[in-house]
Amino acid sequence: MTRDDMNHDEEWEDIVRRLGGTEQQAQSKPASEDNEPQPSEGFVSQSLPQAGPRDYTLADEEIEDFQPPEPSPFATGNPRTILSWSVVIGSAFLWILAALGGWQLPWWLSAITLVGFFGGGLSLFFLLPKTWAHRGPSDDDDYGNGAKV
């Protein structure tokens, strides 16, 4: 053995001892990919392909007659919510259209859209739920109630 091999052996023994290994484990050779177990004499070695993470087949499970639930119509919502979203989106759309078209909006139209935009945004803010009670039973991921002061 060369001096370099002895240093590696001593380092290996030191690592094993620090990790709580026994003296016998410290004296054994480290397991590596190069050291494959040798088959016994009467055994014929066949190299089987190793199964990887993508070596699987999906079960042929067909969902029969699945019908998604009907979405709730847009017009049946809260009128305040619909009006607030319409004003906010309409104001922003008018500003973008005027900017792309290079139009100068009259002062009164600018003032109305500005007040409408902020008023609609403020209305939507106050329509936000105040508690966690709006969560459905299917959303029960049990994240707790959050911090309490």
Side-chain angles (χ1 to χ4, degrees):
M1 271 190 173
T2 64
R3 180 183 170 120
D4 195 33
D5 289 338
M6 290 175 56
N7 287 339
H8 288 297
D9 289 341
E10 290 172 5
E11 288 176 13
W12 172 251
E13 290 174 10
D14 184 44
I15 290 172
V16 172
R17 281 191 199 105
R18 280 195 229 162
L19 292 174
T22 63
E23 186 69 33
Q24 186 181 24
Q25 290 172 335
Q27 296 295 329
S28 66
K29 292 281 184 192
S32 67
E33 294 175 4
D34 298 335
N35 299 341
E36 292 187 17
Q38 299 296 327
S40 61
E41 288 185 2
F43 180 77
V44 177
S45 173
Q46 296 177 352
S47 61
L48 297 175
Q50 297 220 346
R54 295 184 183 158
D55 295 335
Y56 64 91
T57 57
L58 294 176
D60 294 333
E61 196 174 306
E62 294 182 23
I63 300 173
E64 296 178 16
D65 298 331
F66 173 74
Q67 295 295 326
E70 289 291 324
S72 60
F74 178 72
T76 61
N78 183 358
R80 180 177 160 194
T81 306
I82 295 172
L83 181 64
S84 298
W85 275 114
S86 300
V87 170
V88 168
I89 293 172
S91 299
F93 181 73
L94 182 64
W95 293 337
I96 291 171
L97 192 64
L100 291 176
W103 305 325
Q104 177 97 18
L105 292 177
W107 69 270
W108 56 270
L109 186 58
S110 296
I112 289 173
T113 56
L114 189 65
V115 168
F117 182 81
F118 286 117
L122 189 64
S123 174
L124 289 172
F125 176 76
F126 283 112
L127 285 172
L128 287 173
K130 313 277 186 286
T131 64
W132 286 95
H134 70 281
R135 297 179 65 202
S138 62
D139 297 336
D140 189 23
D141 292 331
D142 196 22
Y143 290 113
N145 293 331
K148 302 229 183 211
V149 180

